[in-house]
Amino acid sequence: MTHVIESPRADDAASMGPLQLRVWLQTYPCADAEIDEIWIREQRGFSATTEGIAQWREFIQAAGRQPDLLFCRVVRSGRDIVGFLCGRQDEVVTLGPMYLLDGAQGRGTGGRLMDEFLTWAGNAPIRLWVTDYNERAIRFYQRYGFKATGERELWRGKLPNIRMIRDATSSGNLS
């Protein structure tokens, strides 16, 4: 099925919060890091609650009012949202979150999302956090000129993340 990328509508928040949790459950379980379904639901389950969905709705509406400062695109497969990419502009551009369900990966959709995001970001430096054992995501970002900075964090004391940055002069495989 074709994946359509577009700006979200406020009512898409009802899908985005649960999708975020679903992608986490697909992507982040790791016995070595002691990250399991229970921990993920404790840490990310909020995104699928009424309050979490309300926060997504607020972000979507804010992005509509301030498109130069906030970026958000959803990926639709028919009526279903199967991914999204959001970001914000302050002293630098921050990419994240970016999620695609497993079934939507490997079809060029992530690249199309990234192309739209890089066009929006212009020549600004871009930073992001990525889980250090998510090798597929790290390779994806590297193709677009992102490099690890050596900065690390344990999100919520457990999830090991690394900082990646794309300098204003970086270029990557923009396709």
Side-chain angles (χ1 to χ4, degrees):
M1 181 168 275
T2 302
H3 292 135
V4 176
I5 298 170
E6 61 188 15
S7 296
R9 301 179 296 267
D11 61 346
D12 289 332
S15 296
M16 291 173 71
L19 175 70
Q20 185 174 22
L21 175 59
R22 189 170 160 200
V23 171
W24 270 66
L25 290 166
Q26 287 179 357
T27 306
Y28 297 115
C30 176
D32 291 343
E34 299 179 356
I35 308 273
D36 60 12
E37 180 179 346
I38 294 167
W39 187 85
I40 290 169
R41 288 186 183 282
E42 288 172 351
Q43 304 305 317
R44 272 285 156 223
F46 175 80
S47 65
T49 67
T50 302
E51 295 84 9
I53 291 167
Q55 287 181 359
W56 272 113
R57 183 173 287 106
E58 289 171 18
F59 182 83
I60 291 166
Q61 291 170 334
R65 288 189 307 271
Q66 300 175 308
D68 54 327
L69 298 177
L70 300 172
F71 178 91
C72 194
R73 298 293 183 275
V74 295
V75 179
R76 294 186 196 282
S77 178
R79 294 176 158 212
D80 298 327
I81 294 176
V82 297
F84 59 86
L85 188 157
C86 299
R88 65 181 59 245
Q89 167 78 47
D90 35 45
E91 70 276 357
V92 296
V93 172
T94 301
L95 185 157
M98 179 178 184
Y99 299 122
L100 282 173
L101 289 172
D102 287 346
Q105 294 180 20
R107 300 173 183 205
T109 305
R112 290 175 35 224
L113 267 174
M114 182 61 80
D115 289 345
E116 286 199 28
F117 182 78
L118 293 176
T119 298
W120 173 81
N123 291 323
I126 304 169
R127 65 182 178 195
L128 60 87
W129 287 105
V130 62
T131 300
D132 73 357
Y133 58 82
N134 190 347
E135 295 173 10
R136 185 175 187 174
I138 292 168
R139 285 190 309 271
F140 174 82
Y141 293 130
Q142 287 171 335
R143 285 196 305 271
Y144 286 89
F146 287 87
K147 294 179 178 18
T149 65
E151 187 180 354
R152 303 180 71 76
E153 74 162 10
L154 282 177
W155 185 78
R156 305 243 170 126
K158 199 173 234 186
L159 187 71
N161 290 324
I162 59 172
R163 168 77 76 193
M164 295 185 82
I165 192 160
R166 182 179 190 269
D167 294 326
T169 58
S170 293
S171 63
N173 176 22
L174 301 179
S175 59

